[in-house]
Amino acid sequence: LVWRDKPDVRADVARFVAMWSELLAQHGGPLLFGGSSIADAYFAPVCLRLHTYALPVPAPIAAYVERVRALPGVRAWIDGALAEQEFLDFEEPYRLRR
């Protein structure tokens, strides 16, 4: 529904795809400026959302997203979030329980 009903989401994804495709081609990958950089860390939350919502992106961008998700710092962030057990109802009023 997010993809179908939100033209702004499709436009944002198209903008990221264009920008990342150009940078990957220009610098030869595997990350935006060749090796790991602050740019990849900056876009890690976007990569996680693209993955979580399973938004359609071209194969080279999907591969970039997976490379970002595999970076040690990003992997530690994901693992820490998955291990989190604290539930405070005022922080997540849309959830009934963990």
Side-chain angles (χ1 to χ4, degrees):
L1 295 176
V2 169
W3 189 254
R4 185 192 73 199
D5 297 341
K6 304 281 186 182
D8 290 346
V9 170
R10 291 191 305 273
D12 286 344
V13 170
R15 190 168 44 90
F16 286 119
V17 166
M19 176 177 48
W20 294 349
S21 295
E22 182 178 333
L23 288 169
L24 290 167
Q26 181 179 355
H27 297 282
L31 299 170
L32 295 180
F33 290 94
S36 182
S37 73
I38 192 69
D40 304 299
Y42 180 83
F43 287 118
V46 177
C47 291
L48 295 178
R49 283 182 178 80
L50 289 171
H51 174 81
T52 299
Y53 290 107
L55 298 178
V57 294
I61 299 304
Y64 167 71
V65 167
E66 290 309 308
R67 288 190 296 272
V68 169
R69 291 181 71 244
L71 291 171
V74 177
R75 188 75 249 158
W77 181 31
I78 293 168
D79 292 344
L82 292 173
E84 177 62 54
Q85 295 299 312
E86 183 177 43
F87 172 72
L88 303 173
D89 59 353
F90 70 89
E91 289 183 341
E92 301 179 89
Y94 48 87
R95 291 176 55 182
L96 298 177
R97 65 183 181 288
R98 174 109 170 113

